[in-house]
Amino acid sequence: MATDPSRRPNFEDLKVGAQVKAFRKAKKYSLSELARITSISEATLSRVENEQTPVSAHNLYILSQALDVDITAFFEAAAQPMRTGVRSISRAGEQPPIVTARYVAEVLSTDLANKKMHPAVNTVTKRSLEEAGGLASHAGEEFLYVLEGQLILYTDFYSPTLLNKGDSIYFDGSMAHAYVAGGDGPAKILVVTNIDGKSEGFINEHS
């Protein structure tokens, strides 16, 4: 059954406090230590963990970096772990899009936890580097395939690269980068990212 567009959740409406707390404890960080690392106030972190306040996409990306988890892992509370013979099917239209300030992300295979790869389909509408929030980087590697439209990939070390429908690129995620729509309409891209056996996936807020 396809998702009703009128009921699409905003990123900030999703409940992730329990996962934030679990990942923090797994790293053996106190709230004050995590606040120092992320520059997010201890009071705000406490409210987030207790579901008393929503967390922005930007802050969740910062938390994913500090806690060494893929950002999509915050939405996998009911996910089953990877094991021999396991598989995951994502049906068209059944993944609720997550609206962030930078793009709309359709995160795939969220029913599997601790994946080495995290796939997502992102719809990019920002039309300038400034509007996209500038360049940012993450550890690991990234694969990108253009499904629809045109995409301009901005990176360190290289001139902006125009990618058309059917084009793909594989690159070092630690090279700062950002996505910008290159044609008259939005660009739809498949993104798969990982971090040395841990994924850094994507919805990430950097692109």
Side-chain angles (χ1 to χ4, degrees):
M1 181 176 65
T3 303
D4 180 353
S6 67
R7 300 180 63 184
R8 291 180 178 179
N10 282 330
F11 189 96
E12 288 79 5
D13 293 335
L14 300 174
K15 303 299 184 183
V16 299
Q19 290 91 322
V20 172
K21 186 174 184 178
F23 293 137
R24 174 177 63 80
K25 288 189 172 182
K27 294 288 287 185
K28 298 182 179 180
Y29 290 152
S30 66
L31 272 176
S32 61
E33 287 173 325
L34 187 57
R36 176 181 55 80
I37 294 168
T38 61
S39 297
I40 302 171
S41 74
E42 185 175 346
T44 296
L45 289 173
S46 178
R47 290 194 297 270
V48 166
E49 289 190 355
N50 290 288
E51 308 290 6
Q52 295 173 346
T53 189
V55 58
S56 70
H58 176 68
N59 280 347
L60 202 59
Y61 174 64
I62 292 173
L63 286 167
S64 74
Q65 298 288 286
L67 297 172
D68 292 328
V69 297
D70 172 68
I71 194 170
T72 59
F74 292 110
F75 309 105
E76 295 178 340
Q80 60 175 317
M82 288 294 299
R83 63 181 187 277
T84 301
V86 75
R87 71 175 192 174
S88 171
I89 298 175
S90 299
R91 299 292 185 186
E94 291 189 352
Q95 311 304 309
I98 298 171
V99 180
T100 77
R102 297 175 186 256
Y103 48 71
V104 177
E106 182 181 353
V107 182
L108 308 176
S109 298
T110 57
D111 56 331
L112 293 180
N114 302 319
K115 299 185 293 291
K116 291 184 178 179
M117 299 183 295
H118 276 249
V121 174
N122 295 342
T123 300
V124 180
T125 59
K126 304 306 181 184
R127 309 203 65 80
S128 71
L129 182 59
E130 292 72 23
E131 190 179 356
L135 301 176
S137 62
H138 58 82
E141 301 166 351
E142 184 166 332
F143 173 78
L144 182 159
Y145 181 90
V146 181
L147 299 169
E148 297 177 9
Q150 293 180 312
L151 182 86
I152 300 174
L153 179 66
Y154 286 83
T155 66
D156 279 342
F157 312 129
Y158 297 94
S159 300
T161 301
L162 177 65
L163 299 171
N164 295 301
K165 179 179 178 180
D167 291 345
S168 64
I169 186 170
Y170 194 110
F171 60 94
D172 172 20
S174 67
M175 177 175 61
H177 56 283
Y179 310 145
V180 171
D184 295 332
K188 181 175 287 188
I189 57 176
L190 170 67
V191 178
V192 182
T193 313
N194 86 323
I195 296 183
D196 301 328
K198 297 179 182 178
S199 21
E200 172 59 30
F202 278 53
I203 353 174
N204 79 23
E205 185 65 7
H206 75 272
S207 303

